[in-house]
Amino acid sequence: MTRPTDTTRVPAVAAAGRHPVVQVVALLSVVVHLAAIYWPRVSVVGPVPWTDKVVHVLLFGVPTVLLLVARPWRVRPGLVVVVLALHAPVSELLQHFLLPHRSGDAWDAVADLGGVVLGVTLVVVGRRLRRW
C-alpha cells in the first residue's frame, strides 16, 4: 500500500528561507554590500595586512548566502551567483575609473569571487548536511 503524498508541504529549510524577516535581512545585506563597495572613500585597517581581502570575501559571501537562502521574489539561485560573480570585477573597474578616492585592485576582485564561491559552498554543504 502506498502512502498518499502531501504536495502542500514545504521543506523546513525552504520555508525558513522564504520567511519575510530573512528576506528583509538578505535585502539589507545587499544595501550594505553596495554602500561599502561604492562609498567614495574607504580605509580598512586591521591587525594583519590582508584584512582588506577578508572584508572583500565577507562583502560578497554574506549576500550570496542570504540571497540563496531567502530567495526574495523567488529569484533563481543561478542568477544570484552570476550577478554577484560579474559584479566582482565590474565593481573594481568602476572604483578604479569612476571613484576618485578609490582604486580598483585585481586581487580585490579575486577575493570578491572567493566570497561568492565560499557563499555557494556554505549553502550547498549546509543543505546536504540537513538531508544527511
Side-chain angles (χ1 to χ4, degrees), residues 33-76:
H33 165 84
L34 293 172
I37 296 283
Y38 296 111
W39 202 259
R41 189 181 299 239
V42 175
S43 175
V44 177
V45 180
V48 292
W50 40 268
T51 300
D52 173 54
K53 302 307 179 247
V54 173
V55 170
H56 278 270
V57 169
L58 291 173
L59 280 174
F60 277 79
V62 171
T64 299
V65 169
L66 291 173
L67 288 171
L68 289 176
V69 170
R71 292 192 53 208
W73 305 292
R74 296 182 185 251
V75 66
R76 294 179 183 259

Side-chain angles (χ1 to χ4, degrees), residues 41-127:
R41 189 181 299 239
V42 175
S43 175
V44 177
V45 180
V48 292
W50 40 268
T51 300
D52 173 54
K53 302 307 179 247
V54 173
V55 170
H56 278 270
V57 169
L58 291 173
L59 280 174
F60 277 79
V62 171
T64 299
V65 169
L66 291 173
L67 288 171
L68 289 176
V69 170
R71 292 192 53 208
W73 305 292
R74 296 182 185 251
V75 66
R76 294 179 183 259
L79 181 63
V80 169
V81 174
V82 167
V83 167
L84 286 169
L86 289 174
H87 186 239
V90 168
S91 67
E92 293 302 320
L93 290 171
L94 291 173
Q95 287 175 14
H96 183 75
F97 290 111
L98 298 180
L99 298 173
H101 301 290
R102 301 285 300 267
S103 63
D105 181 8
W107 289 112
D108 285 350
V110 170
D112 297 342
L113 289 170
V116 174
V117 169
L118 178 63
V120 170
T121 303
L122 289 173
V123 170
V124 169
V125 169
R127 286 181 178 162

